[in-house]
Amino acid sequence: MNEFGEMTIEEIINDKFDEYLEITNSSFFKDKVVLVTGAGGSIGQKLSQTLLTTGVQQVILLDNSEGALFDIQQTLVLREVTNFIIELADITCKEAITDVFKKHQPDLVYHAAAYKHVPMLEDFPKQAFKVNVIGTKNILENAIKGNACEFVLISTDKAVHPKSVMGVSKRLAELYVSQYINKTTTNIKVVRFGNIPYTSGSVLLSWKKQLKLTGQINLVQSNMFRYFVSINQVCKMLLGIMEDTQKSLFISEMGNPVEMNKLATKFLLKNKREITDIKWTSKRPGEKEKEVLKYAEELTTKVEAANYSYGNLKTDSKQVEKVNNLIEKYNKHNKEELKSLFKEIVPEYNLV
């Protein structure tokens, strides 16, 4: 990775993400209680394990996946780590989340739990809204009520000018949290970044599976471009932004987007395959040719040494009001009605 954070195609396909993760602000986390939602996921696991090296009092690992929590629990036990607690809970269950906050009273909250698989969620807008918006509401409300000093919503580049249900649901979550920025003692931050190679659902893992099962990989005929970032860079950013109390939006510096045709070619060559092993396909529902990292109104400043930019999140009081109204009645609508309501709130949502 070069000094600006851009990953080469070789680095992407070789999964070089186990390098030492340097933490420069460990003292900030000393004796803090930290809650990580989605702790069983790729980001949640790496973030939790990194936090446990900073001198925190305790890390609360929350997830609704028993299997994922069991895996991370066993890993930490084998490493003789003791300052963590497992919480098997669903973020959409208000009572369960309230109990977790009352029990542990976290100082810092990283909200990583989310539904994220783009093509799948096109058929399940109600579930996407419930998890990505209602779940965010439950976590943020309790963080504010419990006087947590920091709340971080882990968002995505797909939330900007969204084309997918997943992307628009994350934009709706951004809008929901925006109404509390600078209006509470809890510092609220939104973080956006692109694709992390070799995490659950990533294109490289999908290609590996396709090669194994069919001898070919699927590639969209219309050339696509994607931003990539290492999981270590994401975790470094998530830790580094905690001491910034002035800004609400943080975007990982990822260099130029990667051309998927070139990535596919390199991937095949690395696996001793030919270009003829590509099965050309059409774009799937919700897929964009190019991602965008921010809205034009979101003026950001690059922090070169830290590999991220910061600024203020775009928001609109009328959009926020509509999000709040939809929270109260989303369950009454069918799939197509919900998508139309998403479009009404986020006009740039490219409903197809």
Side-chain angles (χ1 to χ4, degrees):
M1 197 168 350
N2 68 28
E3 61 180 315
F4 299 109
E6 183 173 5
M7 298 183 68
T8 66
I9 290 180
E10 286 72 23
E11 285 173 322
I12 293 171
I13 63 175
N14 283 301
D15 190 21
K16 294 182 178 178
F17 308 134
D18 291 328
E19 71 272 17
Y20 175 67
L21 175 56
E22 183 181 4
I23 304 164
T24 58
N25 61 335
S26 292
S27 59
F28 176 84
F29 297 92
K30 186 172 174 58
D31 299 326
K32 299 278 200 317
V33 176
V34 187
L35 170 66
V36 179
T37 74
S42 304
I43 296 170
Q45 285 201 33
K46 182 68 175 180
L47 177 60
S48 299
Q49 292 174 15
T50 305
L51 285 165
L52 285 163
T53 69
T54 64
V56 292
Q57 178 182 325
Q58 208 161 51
V59 176
I60 314 304
L61 308 172
L62 186 149
D63 206 290
N64 69 344
S65 169
E66 178 197 22
L69 284 180
F70 178 80
D71 287 343
I72 190 171
Q73 180 186 49
Q74 293 305 298
T75 298
L76 294 174
V77 168
L78 289 171
R79 292 177 179 173
E80 299 183 343
V81 177
T82 58
N83 56 332
F84 72 94
I85 290 178
I86 295 294
E87 284 288 356
L88 181 61
D90 185 339
I91 61 170
T92 67
C93 179
K94 187 174 182 179
E95 294 78 12
I97 297 306
T98 298
D99 287 344
V100 168
F101 274 84
K102 283 182 178 177
K103 191 191 310 182
H104 302 295
Q105 298 179 322
D107 302 297
L108 315 174
V109 178
Y110 286 101
H111 182 40
Y115 279 166
K116 65 175 186 176
H117 295 294
V118 171
M120 180 180 290
L121 291 178
E122 288 301 299
D123 289 326
F124 301 101
K126 187 172 293 187
Q127 290 86 338
F129 187 85
K130 184 177 181 181
V131 170
N132 292 350
V133 182
I134 304 294
T136 297
K137 174 181 182 289
N138 291 339
I139 299 297
L140 178 58
E141 282 186 349
N142 278 283
I144 293 172
K145 187 176 180 180
N147 294 312
C149 57
E150 300 282 343
F151 170 90
V152 179
L153 170 65
I154 296 178
S155 190
T156 170
D157 55 0
K158 293 173 176 59
V160 183
H161 295 288
K163 184 175 180 179
S164 63
V165 165
M166 181 274 197
V168 75
S169 70
K170 294 298 282 185
R171 177 58 185 157
L172 293 169
E174 290 184 355
L175 286 167
Y176 176 80
V177 305
S178 72
Q179 66 190 298
Y180 296 103
I181 293 172
N182 298 326
K183 295 179 181 177
T184 172
T185 56
T186 302
N187 292 317
I188 296 169
K189 299 177 171 75
V190 172
V191 174
R192 294 192 197 126
F193 48 84
N195 299 275
I196 302 178
Y198 291 103
T199 56
S200 173
S202 69
V203 65
L204 295 174
L205 286 185
S206 295
W207 282 347
K208 274 191 168 185
K209 189 170 188 177
Q210 291 164 14
L211 270 184
K212 182 179 180 180
L213 295 178
T214 70
Q216 291 183 306
I217 66 170
N218 294 339
L219 187 63
V220 177
Q221 206 148 18
S222 173
N223 200 10
M224 316 278 274
F225 292 81
R226 292 291 180 267
Y227 287 99
F228 285 89
V229 60
S230 78
I231 199 164
N232 272 7
Q233 185 175 330
V234 168
C235 287
K236 182 178 179 181
M237 175 176 65
L238 290 172
L239 270 63
I241 66 174
M242 277 304 192
E243 293 181 280
D244 192 316
T245 60
Q246 302 300 314
K247 301 300 179 181
S248 58
L249 175 65
F250 297 82
I251 303 172
S252 179
E253 287 296 319
M254 295 172 286
N256 296 318
V258 173
E259 187 177 344
M260 297 304 290
N261 284 359
K262 291 182 179 178
L263 182 63
T265 300
K266 289 275 189 178
F267 177 84
L268 287 170
L269 293 176
K270 181 178 183 292
N271 286 276
K272 298 181 172 55
R273 300 298 185 107
E274 303 295 329
I275 307 303
T276 52
D277 290 325
I278 292 175
K279 178 183 178 182
W280 296 102
T281 64
S282 301
K283 280 193 296 184
R284 296 176 298 177
E287 286 189 322
K288 294 166 70 175
E289 289 190 9
K290 294 181 179 180
E291 302 292 358
V292 184
L293 300 177
K294 63 181 181 178
Y295 285 94
E297 299 91 332
E298 294 174 333
L299 303 178
T300 57
T301 301
K302 188 178 294 185
V303 184
E304 299 287 5
N307 277 335
Y308 63 79
S309 298
Y310 63 80
N312 287 314
L313 182 69
K314 178 188 176 184
T315 186
D316 179 275
S317 59
K318 291 182 180 179
Q319 287 180 295
V320 170
E321 183 180 358
K322 289 178 180 178
V323 173
N324 290 335
N325 289 337
L326 186 56
I327 285 172
E328 299 301 321
K329 62 182 182 181
Y330 80 97
N331 218 18
K332 299 176 182 178
H333 297 283
N334 64 33
K335 179 169 69 174
E336 298 309 320
E337 288 171 343
L338 271 177
K339 288 184 177 182
S340 294
L341 288 167
F342 294 167
K343 172 74 172 176
E344 183 181 320
I345 301 171
V346 184
E348 66 272 21
Y349 169 42
N350 191 356
L351 181 61
V352 291

